[in-house]
Amino acid sequence: MSLSELQRLETAHVIGTYVRLPVEIVRGEGPWVWDDRGTRYLDLLCGISVTNLGHCHPAVVAAVRAQAGRLMHVSNLFYTEPAMRLAERLSSSSLGGKVFFCNSGAEANEAALKLARRAKPGGEIVSVTGGFHGRTFGALSATAQEGKQAPFAPLVPGFRAVAPTAEAITAAVGERTAAVLLEPIQGEGGVHVTPPEALAAAREACDRHGAALIFDEVQTGMGRTGALWAYRESGVVPDAMTVAKALGGGLPIGALITGERLEDTLRPGDHGSTFAGGPVVAAAALAAIEVTDDPALMERVRDLGERLRAGLREIPGVAAVRGRGLMIGFDLEHGDAPGLVLRALAEQHLIVNATGPATIRLLPPLTIDDAIVDDALGRIARLVAC
Ligand code: PLP
């Protein structure tokens, strides 16, 4: 089917919530994807930090194949080994409590918000400006962006957003606060590292007032920043965290992970989801985490991130470079990031993303090497120059 035929079908039959790029992707391998005409693109976006191990990583593909031929679904009325093993793996690699499975980042945050309200009934949720937590009503209520919230008012009551600073968070958190929810590094907001003193202040304020500190690691998790979980590098341990995106190695799965204090807060019947923790996605996630949780790979991610950021700083026309590990954002001196994304695709066969009018975000596979980084830098330099 031609691209124009796909576009005709979309216009006629798909609710228009997405603005798609004019390319049909038919295959992926490692850092590369191919369109229907055989053109190869360098993918520095990973489906927005989903295919962190590259496209079709052999370990993930093998796990999915094996599990899909054995058992695809039974519901959470039964036990399956992949889900129980994955819960053990997630807990032991992070906060040491228990896990609730779901199917996406927004759902993981919904579960976290219910956990917080269950722990402190009627309590307020504090989030920070510039953050992004998803588009379902609870997650959207914590996503303090006028453009995303306003058309859907009224939102869930009991949410407030403050600046991501130590002072603002300390002032906002009190006896009525059930939780503070924030990203260690804001991704959709343009790759802004949350200041360590703001995280420390949030930890202190939550401890003082018996509130839950919840980190949204949907984008920062699964090795993206050069540690399996970004909180590990921040020096602050949250009471709970949410993960999704890269967890399933390319398949949809999310999870809420708690520390011990909150692990038994949600009780039978409090929450659930038909597909959550299904055997195929859980098997995929076990394979993905097995490959990702490797100190040598994490060191490599930190080094590659340094190389990429240093190279970007050398490019005339690049104004500011931010990020950690392979979660990188940079601003263009002369703006028009959306235009650069289109030109990147057409002229350089490069997949990048704009988070604002002047900001480009890079979320490359963690498995790239120096040669790919240098190749990427060359393509970006050529784009920024014109
Ligand atoms: N939280 C963060 C930090 C995200 O970046 C995203 C998506 O970009 C979400 C939550 C929502 O995840 P999903 O699109 O899987 O619902």
Side-chain angles (χ1 to χ4, degrees):
M1 210 177 265
S2 69
L3 179 64
S4 57
E5 182 66 4
L6 295 177
Q7 288 169 325
R8 190 191 65 74
L9 287 177
E10 183 196 37
T11 307
H13 303 294
V14 180
I15 293 174
T17 58
Y18 302 110
V19 180
R20 294 176 211 272
L21 294 163
V23 175
E24 182 197 358
I25 304 291
V26 296
R27 186 163 78 82
E29 188 183 326
W32 307 104
V33 292
W34 285 261
D35 70 11
D36 56 321
R37 293 157 177 226
T39 302
R40 190 178 79 158
Y41 300 79
L42 178 56
D43 183 2
L44 297 189
L45 188 58
C46 285
I48 317 186
S49 205
V50 168
T51 53
N52 278 11
L53 300 177
H55 290 276
C56 301
H57 189 283
V60 177
V61 171
V64 169
R65 284 210 166 108
Q67 186 58 48
R70 201 177 295 133
L71 179 73
M72 281 210 227
H73 181 77
V74 283
S75 93
N76 284 304
L77 296 173
F78 294 93
Y79 288 92
T80 62
E81 188 177 321
M84 298 307 130
R85 285 183 49 218
L86 179 61
E88 192 282 329
R89 185 74 201 243
L90 286 172
S91 168
S92 64
S93 72
S94 62
L95 306 179
K98 295 183 183 175
V99 174
F100 175 85
F101 288 120
C102 53
N103 312 287
S104 69
E107 284 181 58
N109 287 325
E110 295 292 336
L113 296 169
K114 284 183 76 172
L115 173 89
R117 282 268 170 84
R118 192 69 154 116
K120 197 186 265 194
E124 193 178 59
I125 310 295
V126 174
S127 64
V128 298
T129 50
F132 183 84
H133 302 290
R135 296 173 185 268
T136 51
F137 265 98
L140 181 64
S141 302
T143 297
Q145 292 183 41
E146 175 71 10
K148 291 191 172 68
Q149 290 185 334
F152 303 101
L155 300 177
V156 180
F159 284 68
R160 76 194 273 207
V162 299
T165 64
E167 301 71 33
I169 292 170
T170 303
V173 176
E175 286 313 306
R176 292 185 55 243
T177 308
V180 174
L181 172 65
L182 45 73
E183 298 156 86
I185 301 174
Q186 293 186 342
E188 302 301 302
V191 190
H192 293 279
V193 178
T194 304
E197 58 278 12
L199 297 181
R203 177 69 280 169
E204 210 180 291
C206 286
D207 286 343
R208 195 170 335 118
H209 297 291
L213 178 59
I214 303 169
F215 280 2
D216 178 338
E217 291 238 28
V218 167
Q219 195 163 141
T220 53
M222 288 297 282
R224 172 56 56 199
T225 67
L228 187 63
W229 312 116
Y231 83 84
R232 286 183 180 172
E233 297 163 309
S234 73
V236 171
V237 180
D239 299 301
M241 59 192 254
T242 53
V243 300
K245 285 193 182 283
L247 178 57
L251 294 187
I253 179 170
L256 161 69
I257 310 171
T258 74
E260 284 178 12
R261 185 170 76 76
L262 295 173
E263 68 180 21
D264 292 322
T265 304
L266 290 171
R267 298 178 211 144
D270 274 356
H271 202 35
S273 171
T274 299
F275 289 107
V280 177
V281 290
L286 273 167
I289 203 167
E290 186 69 37
V291 178
T292 310
D293 194 7
D294 167 4
L297 177 65
M298 292 301 95
E299 190 182 342
R300 192 92 196 98
V301 169
R302 293 193 291 273
D303 291 348
L304 289 164
E306 287 292 326
R307 188 182 184 95
L308 196 40
R309 279 191 296 279
L312 287 167
R313 285 193 187 98
E314 299 287 305
I315 296 176
V318 169
V321 182
R322 299 180 292 276
R324 188 184 297 154
L326 285 171
M327 182 169 180
I328 296 174
F330 62 92
D331 295 336
L332 299 169
E333 252 166 40
H334 303 296
D336 196 20
L340 185 134
V341 170
L342 281 172
R343 287 195 296 111
L345 204 62
E347 296 165 20
Q348 296 295 326
H349 301 148
L350 183 69
I351 299 176
V352 298
N353 167 248
T355 60
T359 303
I360 296 287
R361 174 173 51 170
L362 307 179
L363 299 162
L366 313 183
T367 46
I368 54 173
D369 56 20
D370 287 357
I372 295 275
V373 166
D374 295 344
D375 177 358
L377 284 167
R379 296 185 202 218
I380 293 167
R382 286 192 286 281
L383 286 161
V384 177
C386 333

